Amino acid sequence: MSVSIPLTVRRLTAAAGVAAAVVGAVALPASAADHHSATRDRDRVVISGVQYHSPGRDDRSNRSLNREWVELTNNSHHDMNLDGWVLSDDDGHRYIFRHYWLDARSSVRVHTGFGTDTERDLYQDRRREIWDSADTATLRNARGGFVDDTSWGNRRYDGSHRRYDDDRYDHRRYEGDRRHGDDGRH
């Protein structure tokens, strides 16, 4: 003997299930969705190098300013749209990426001075140095989600930043430590 459920009961049950799924999706906090996206960005794009003191004579010339830079690397297999992303320092200086795609498995240097933007070099068009001898470079995505940061000099280390104390940070020297869970203090 088989039990037959009336068609309207099945339809109402299905409609209730769909309604619950819609309410659950709408009720998901925006911060949770943003956190997931920021985590993906953090896995893909990192601050891979910093030159915070212009090597050689520091005469505030454009040439000297452009020897100060922050390098970002896209470690993913896909191009990344950085439009609206922000690179900032502790003093509130901000560089906003405009209409820029970072190719897969490639890097770009963001120089302090003036220049013509290319695929591998971008320019902030500033007349003064911004990266101090004790500072933090922070990268956020277009929604303001944290992507990466790195500190150097005598910055107070709170465990959330990679840290280095020489004039130039090169991620290749510290990459192994990060992968093995080291907190990055050197």
Side-chain angles (χ1 to χ4, degrees):
M1 175 173 158
S2 82
V3 176
S4 174
I5 300 175
L7 188 57
T8 48
V9 172
R10 283 188 287 180
R11 285 184 183 160
L12 286 174
T13 304
V18 169
V22 168
V23 168
V26 170
L28 179 67
S31 61
D34 185 48
H35 174 73
H36 179 67
S37 176
T39 301
R40 285 195 323 257
D41 293 340
R42 186 175 22 241
D43 293 340
R44 295 176 183 169
V45 179
V46 297
I47 297 173
S48 54
V50 174
Q51 176 65 55
Y52 59 88
H53 275 303
S54 179
R57 185 169 170 245
D58 183 10
D59 59 5
R60 293 195 183 191
S61 68
N62 192 53
R63 181 177 177 191
S64 178
L65 287 173
N66 283 331
R67 286 191 227 139
E68 179 182 85
W69 46 261
V70 173
E71 182 178 74
L72 306 179
T73 298
N74 178 359
N75 291 317
S76 77
H77 295 286
H78 305 285
D79 296 351
M80 290 289 294
N81 182 0
L82 301 188
D83 187 42
W85 286 38
V86 177
L87 178 65
S88 63
D89 73 343
D90 282 343
D91 294 325
H93 298 104
R94 297 170 19 143
Y95 174 77
I96 301 172
F97 291 83
R98 298 287 182 214
H99 311 292
Y100 181 77
W101 283 81
L102 181 56
D103 293 338
R105 301 282 183 199
S106 64
S107 298
V108 62
R109 285 188 176 174
V110 181
H111 301 270
T112 300
F114 288 82
T116 302
D117 293 342
T118 67
E119 280 186 31
R120 302 292 172 243
D121 294 285
L122 299 173
Y123 298 87
Q124 296 189 49
D125 299 336
R126 296 184 183 274
R127 298 188 190 286
R128 301 193 76 169
E129 296 168 336
I130 63 166
W131 304 109
D132 300 327
S133 59
D135 211 340
T136 299
T138 302
L139 182 65
R140 295 192 174 276
N141 63 24
R143 291 173 306 285
F146 173 82
V147 176
D148 195 17
D149 69 356
T150 196
S151 295
W152 58 88
N154 294 323
R155 301 299 308 158
R156 189 177 129 250
Y157 182 77
D158 65 5
S160 64
H161 309 288
R162 287 188 312 240
R163 178 191 159 119
Y164 41 91
D165 293 314
D166 57 357
D167 283 354
R168 181 172 181 272
Y169 167 75
D170 183 348
H171 77 289
R172 291 173 290 262
R173 288 192 348 212
Y174 302 109
E175 185 90 2
D177 296 332
R178 236 184 20 234
R179 274 183 284 173
H180 294 99
D182 186 14
D183 64 4
R185 294 184 211 202
H186 297 281

